[in-house]
């Protein structure tokens, strides 16, 4: 049996630490595991399968002898190092948005479009967390009943913005309870000019605004969904729109998803049955007993939880549902490790003869 030399890029982060844990619990046979971060964390010790490993500063040569890279250190870091890793023969599963829309890069949610891994030329992308959980629920519905339109509103946990944002929420919450002033420096997004209180608040901004009034997170949800379901980021066959909102919880995004199917005979019971059989999906939908997905119950789980499935009472063939998933697991680390498992299963952890080595833009 082949064993793999694996590198985790961004190993000390909110996602990276979970990648270590998900790799430990995966079916991937590891010969060695290298933990990479910036110079800030070089020397730090983290455990893999009970063995202490030292975090190393990333350089291009960190990827010498590596077979598989799981990357989660931000877009610019992936842009700089993944081409170097591919040049050195490593297959990279990237958790950042940097390569997601590149036609040469498969964008994969294994339960929905696993076969796309066959097309890889060195780099594969993990979608955004909000997209992953939405397509986990919509994918089976699309295949059985067709989809005309999707309208999503997200309720996104603060951990999606990184460990430092999560620290800010905890600190602010304590300050508000103590009656002290708060000093926001990160949220809603590090990359913008103004910062607002997150504790006991809702912020309808995730990532920066585009000129059309949508945020970049909303843009990602629209185009990633089309690329995953229709293999074309600009496909017109399904209309998709989103409003992304940050809520003051730690982990597990919630989403209301309104969707209109092609097959007008579809019923909520049929959709519930379909999702009950869908791999990676757990239906929690019993209003009579107040059973529905909740973020605190989804934390630490790999599944995507769906409930409140009900028809639009005024529009036949349209439905509402509520979808919850751990944004750091299925939304990031677990989906990336699942892609790697799929590559291992298909013996595709090898860079092909015509590798795709994008220029560092
Ligand atoms: P985080 O908690 O801030 O962690 C960032 C990680 O990147 C740390 O390990 C950090 O190392 C490392 N890093 C930063 N600059 C680096 C550099 N120049 N060279 C090497 N390593 C560097 O952030 P996170 O929440 O884990 O997210 C990391 C990235 O994952 C995000 O930027 C995003 O692209 C992606 N992400 C994707 C999803 C998704 O929806 N699929 C969700 C969340 C995040 P140090 O300890 O040395 O600083
Ligand atoms: O905010 C969230 O809940 C998800 C954030 C994801 C994220 C955060 C910073 C940079 C991404 C992503 O995965 O799309 C990126 C990025 O890589 O662009």
């Amino acid at each position: 049996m082949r064993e793999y030399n694996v590198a985790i890029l961004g190993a000390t982060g909110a996602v990276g630490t979970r990648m270590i844990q998900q790799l430990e619990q995966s079916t991937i046979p590891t010969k060695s595991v290298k933990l990479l971060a910036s110079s800030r964390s070089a020397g730090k010790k983290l455990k893999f399968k009970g063995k202490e490993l030292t975090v190393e500063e990333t350089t291009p040569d960190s990827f010498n002898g590596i077979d598989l890279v799981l990357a989660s250190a931000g877009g610019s870091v992936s842009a700089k190092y993944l081409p170097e890793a591919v040049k050195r023969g490593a297959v990279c599963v990237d958790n950042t948005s940097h390569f997601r829309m590149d036609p040469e890069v498969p964008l994969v949610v294994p339960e929905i479009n696993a076969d796309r891994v066959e097309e890889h030329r060195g780099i594969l992308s993990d979608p955004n967390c909000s997209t992953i959980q939405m397509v986990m629920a919509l994918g089976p519905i699309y295949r059985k009943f067709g989809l005309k339109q999707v309208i999503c509103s997200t309720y996104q946990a603060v951990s999606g913005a990184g460990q430092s944002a999560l620290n800010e929420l905890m600190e602010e919450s304590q300050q508000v309870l103590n009656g002290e002033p708060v000093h926001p420096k990160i949220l809603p997004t590090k990359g913008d000019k103004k910062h607002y209180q997150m504790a006991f608040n809702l912020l309808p901004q995730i990532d920066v605004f585009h000129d059309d009034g949508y945020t970049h997170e909303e843009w990602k949800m629209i185009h990633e969904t089309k690329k995953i379901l229709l293999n074309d980021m600009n496909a017109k066959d399904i209309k998709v729109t989103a409003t992304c909102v940050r809520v003051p919880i730690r982990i597990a995004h919630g989403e209301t998803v309104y969707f209109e199917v092609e097959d007008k005979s579809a019923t909520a019971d049929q959709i519930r049955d379909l999702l009950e059989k869908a791999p990676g999906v757990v239906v929690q939908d019993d209003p009579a007993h107040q059973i529905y997905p909740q973020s605190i119950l989804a934390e630490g789980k790999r599944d995507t939880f769906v409930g409140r499935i009900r028809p639009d009472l005024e529009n036949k063939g349209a439905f509402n549902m509520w979808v919850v998933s751990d944004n750091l697991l299925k939304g990031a680390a677990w989906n990336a490790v699942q892609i790697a498992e799929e590559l291992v299963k298909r013996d595709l952890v090898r860079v092909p003869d015509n590798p795709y080595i994008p220029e560092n833009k």
Side-chain angles (χ1 to χ4, degrees), residues 169-178 182 197-203 246-249:
L169 170 69
M170 302 313 280
E171 203 176 306
E172 274 182 7
S173 303
Q174 197 59 62
Q175 286 164 334
V176 173
L177 291 173
N178 292 347
V182 300
Q197 177 179 324
M198 183 74 254
F200 305 97
N201 198 10
L202 300 174
L203 295 171
R246 187 76 71 195
V247 301
I249 65 166

Side-chain angles (χ1 to χ4, degrees), residues 9-17 36-42 44 55-58 71-78 80-81 94-98 100 126-132 159-164 190 217 220 224 253 327-328 330-333:
L9 174 57
T12 54
V15 177
T17 48
L36 300 171
S38 77
S39 56
R40 291 180 293 274
S41 295
K44 191 173 170 183
V55 176
E56 298 173 35
E57 179 179 356
T58 314
S72 190
S76 59
V77 181
S78 285
K80 180 171 174 187
Y81 291 113
D94 186 23
N95 195 43
T96 82
S97 64
H98 190 78
R100 282 183 200 148
D126 206 27
N128 179 275
C129 41
S130 308
T131 310
I132 293 177
S159 55
Q163 190 58 51
S164 53
K190 262 188 214 159
E217 183 83 353
K220 286 175 190 172
E224 292 177 15
H253 295 349
N327 53 301
L328 299 175
K330 184 56 187 168

Side-chain angles (χ1 to χ4, degrees), residues 16-26 48 302 329:
T17 48
R18 280 152 181 98
M19 279 179 163
I20 299 174
Q21 175 205 90
Q22 294 302 306
L23 181 66
E24 271 176 337
Q25 295 166 15
S26 77
F48 181 79
R302 287 173 165 178
L329 292 185

Side-chain angles (χ1 to χ4, degrees), residues 283-326:
V283 174
Q284 296 178 324
D285 196 13
D286 183 0
H289 296 96
Q290 290 175 276
I291 302 295
Y292 38 73
Q294 298 178 38
S295 288
I296 55 170
L297 304 179
E299 182 172 341
K301 310 268 179 15
R302 287 173 165 178
D303 292 316
T304 298
F305 299 90
V306 185
R308 305 288 325 276
I309 302 166
R310 62 208 191 278
D312 179 339
L313 302 177
E314 299 191 285
N315 187 9
K316 193 165 169 53
F319 300 85
N320 284 291
M321 63 182 167
W322 170 242
V323 182
V324 176
S325 191
D326 185 321

